[in-house]
Amino acid sequence: MGGRAVSPGGALLRTSRMFSVPKPLPEPPSSSLHIGDHKSSTMTRQYPQHQSITSPLSSREKGDWGYKRPFPLKSTMATSTPLIRIKQVDSVENVTDFASAADHSLSLEKFQELRVAMSVPRAKDALRDDSSQSGMWPKSVFEEDMDFTDPHSGRDDEKRWKFNGPWLARMNEGDFIQYLNKAVRPRRAQFRALLKGKLAEDMTVGRNKAAMENGKPAPAKVEPRDIKEEQFTEYLRHLRNDRGTLYALVSKFLDLAPLGKPVGLMEGIMQAHVKGGLYGKSGPPASHPSAGISYLRTSSYMENHPVYGPQGRRTPALARVVYPRAGHNKAKLGVGGFVADIPAGDNEFNLRFGRGRNQSSSSKMLKGIAHLDTTTYGGAKAYIEPQTATVDPSGRIVLQLRETHPEARVVAKESKGISLIYHAGNTKGDASQESALQGSRTEDRRMDRIAREVLNYEPTNSHF
């Protein structure tokens, strides 16, 4: 017997977010072009695939998470982060397979606390050109000239983030052969018809130009059916030698993601026919360029401190040195659960460029950057300022950091009770202040002295 018929309204409710859980997102492609990623079954994935589900305390005490069977209290109540992801509603053992979703949920909360705006990737050529506005300031992914998917919207087609065709540079050989057999070869006749139409337009334009130069009336429009087979064959031979035009026609016909510059073409031809676009080097993202992790359009805002007033720099974040510098490899910092490279340029993170600078206040941090720090409790840490973030094709969040200002670092330490600015010389305070002074490190005392110099004041025993 067939299954029970469901009314249209019932089918709509079953598939709605009120009564169903979205299907898991597919596995993004490998981030490596040559070898697969080394993945572990227990590591935190760089991209979420399942929806995070929570339940109020009154329901969790009964094991009620909105599913048809209760969940065990031993694993769902003995945690401070009641967040789970459902891998399979009905497994072979007739149980619901679930796991903790605190990793991605807490990473989202910590990233939103950083208040970082998502931006589109910047090309290296734009970064070298100081006169280019796109190289100087990151551009938001929510700008109208970039946040679109319709190729017929009249905007620059190379700035789209979604294409019907794949990105050829990331496909392996097996997938590429399958794509040729299923998506390219069956459309040969359509492409030949497109080329005939293109040839007919070029011949019409050429004849009209010749007639105008000779003072004759414009001839009749050339139709694709009027083109002889010999003319079309000669046109195909010409296209084989003009790879710039051929690549542009094929990419537009199959709606392929933009590629980099083909080998052997001159710069002028490339600028005229094949443009790499925003995603020509790295490839288009697997989802919206914001990845739904942040909806801020800009990071240009001013913070107001309750005591010191408007601040010129944002409150820095405390980062952990997770990977010291090794040879030509850059050091890695952990910021809010995300791994990022150290700030580039002449700063205290790069010993090669900053040897002549005063590094007494950051000796601990530089020690962790140069080599693994095994003496500091919890590992070496440093204050940095998140500037912007982008999403790479594999779904990873790529943070761009910059060096924070010493004053902002002192204010951030004072808010945590690590550093005392106006009470640095107070030795008659309560026991908590005395213990804080006794336990302060050398770098904190020196930073207090720097703060007194830059603010031009002397410590007093009275409150500010």
Side-chain angles (χ1 to χ4, degrees):
M1 296 180 62
R4 183 178 178 181
V6 181
S7 63
L12 181 62
L13 288 177
R14 283 188 175 185
T15 57
S16 65
R17 297 186 62 182
M18 183 182 299
F19 294 95
S20 64
V21 178
K23 295 182 179 180
L25 297 178
E27 184 81 12
S30 173
S31 60
S32 175
L33 300 180
H34 304 287
I35 57 176
D37 294 336
H38 298 283
K39 299 178 180 178
S40 172
S41 58
T42 58
M43 74 175 186
T44 301
R45 307 297 295 271
Q46 62 267 26
Y47 36 78
Q49 294 179 261
H50 298 79
Q51 185 181 23
S52 180
I53 301 173
T54 186
S55 181
L57 178 61
S58 58
S59 300
R60 291 201 311 272
E61 293 176 344
K62 305 173 185 178
D64 183 12
W65 287 76
Y67 285 81
K68 62 182 180 181
R69 58 173 64 93
F71 289 175
L73 302 179
K74 184 176 181 180
S75 57
T76 57
M77 291 297 297
T79 177
S80 59
T81 54
L83 300 163
I84 63 173
R85 62 171 64 98
I86 304 300
K87 297 182 178 180
Q88 195 172 2
V89 177
D90 288 314
S91 62
V92 180
E93 297 83 4
N94 291 328
V95 297
T96 301
D97 187 8
F98 68 95
S100 175
D103 47 5
H104 291 135
S105 300
L106 295 182
S107 297
L108 175 62
E109 294 182 5
K110 290 185 288 185
F111 186 85
Q112 292 178 348
E113 289 179 359
L114 296 176
R115 290 170 290 183
V116 179
M118 305 299 294
S119 62
V120 295
R122 294 181 291 179
K124 295 182 178 180
D125 297 336
L127 291 176
R128 290 193 295 264
D129 186 9
D130 295 336
S131 62
S132 175
Q133 292 294 333
S134 60
M136 294 176 60
W137 306 104
K139 205 163 187 179
S140 173
V141 296
F142 299 106
E143 296 294 335
E144 294 184 359
D145 60 338
M146 296 183 179
D147 189 10
F148 68 100
T149 59
D150 185 11
H152 306 290
S153 60
R155 288 171 284 192
D156 190 359
D157 191 60
E158 298 295 337
K159 294 183 179 181
R160 282 190 298 148
W161 58 268
K162 187 176 183 179
F163 300 86
N164 294 327
W167 194 51
L168 301 180
R170 195 171 293 278
M171 298 180 68
N172 55 41
E173 190 65 22
D175 293 340
F176 177 68
I177 297 300
Q178 185 178 6
Y179 176 72
L180 286 179
N181 296 332
K182 292 187 176 182
V184 178
R185 289 176 181 172
R187 303 185 62 183
R188 285 178 177 174
Q190 299 179 17
F191 187 65
R192 291 177 67 89
L194 175 67
L195 292 181
K196 279 192 175 182
K198 181 71 169 50
L199 178 58
E201 293 179 1
D202 294 344
M203 293 177 63
T204 302
V205 172
R207 291 183 179 181
N208 292 338
K209 184 178 180 180
M212 184 180 299
E213 292 177 353
N214 297 329
K216 298 180 180 180
K221 181 180 179 181
V222 179
E223 298 293 339
R225 61 177 178 271
D226 300 333
I227 299 177
K228 298 181 181 180
E229 192 65 26
E230 294 79 7
Q231 294 176 333
F232 185 66
T233 303
E234 185 64 25
Y235 180 67
L236 292 181
R237 292 175 180 173
H238 174 72
L239 281 181
R240 293 191 188 101
N241 297 326
D242 188 3
R243 289 194 294 170
T245 305
L246 180 61
Y247 285 5
L249 292 173
V250 173
S251 298
K252 186 176 181 180
F253 176 72
L254 298 176
D255 197 17
L256 297 175
L259 293 174
K261 300 178 181 179
V263 179
L265 291 183
M266 295 182 296
E267 186 69 20
I269 299 179
M270 288 308 308
Q271 295 295 335
H273 297 286
V274 183
K275 299 179 181 179
L278 295 174
Y279 309 104
K281 287 293 184 181
S282 59
S287 64
H288 189 272
S290 68
I293 197 172
S294 175
Y295 295 97
L296 298 177
R297 293 181 66 94
T298 178
S299 299
S300 301
Y301 59 88
M302 180 178 292
E303 294 186 358
N304 190 20
H305 195 273
V307 177
Y308 309 128
Q311 301 293 297
R313 301 292 292 268
R314 297 170 52 189
T315 302
L318 187 60
R320 185 190 303 273
V321 181
V322 297
Y323 183 80
R325 185 190 301 111
H328 297 287
N329 298 327
K330 296 181 180 179
K332 303 290 184 180
L333 301 178
V335 187
F338 298 88
V339 179
D341 293 331
I342 59 175
D346 183 12
N347 52 57
E348 57 189 354
F349 293 90
N350 296 320
L351 292 176
R352 179 180 178 183
F353 301 99
R355 291 178 179 175
R357 305 176 59 174
N358 185 10
Q359 302 169 357
S360 59
S361 61
S362 56
S363 58
K364 293 283 185 180
M365 182 266 296
L366 291 177
K367 179 181 178 182
I369 292 293
H371 60 273
L372 182 63
D373 185 7
T374 58
T375 58
T376 305
Y377 179 77
K381 301 179 181 63
Y383 280 96
I384 51 88
E385 181 179 339
Q387 187 175 14
T388 184
T390 57
V391 180
D392 69 353
S394 62
R396 292 191 177 98
I397 304 298
V398 182
L399 273 172
Q400 280 83 36
L401 310 177
R402 68 177 179 179
E403 183 184 18
T404 185
H405 197 270
E407 294 182 11
R409 190 184 309 155
V410 173
V411 173
K413 288 185 176 182
E414 185 193 30
S415 63
K416 297 182 179 180
I418 302 176
S419 176
L420 298 176
I421 298 180
Y422 289 100
H423 303 275
N426 185 7
T427 58
K428 299 181 181 180
D430 54 8
S432 60
Q433 291 183 350
E434 292 179 1
S435 61
L437 289 174
Q438 293 175 1
S440 61
R441 295 175 294 183
T442 304
E443 59 174 342
D444 294 329
R445 293 197 299 269
R446 291 177 177 176
M447 288 303 300
D448 294 339
R449 185 173 178 181
I450 293 176
R452 293 198 300 270
E453 293 293 336
V454 297
L455 296 179
N456 191 18
Y457 77 96
E458 293 295 333
T460 61
N461 295 333
S462 59
H463 293 280
F464 179 75

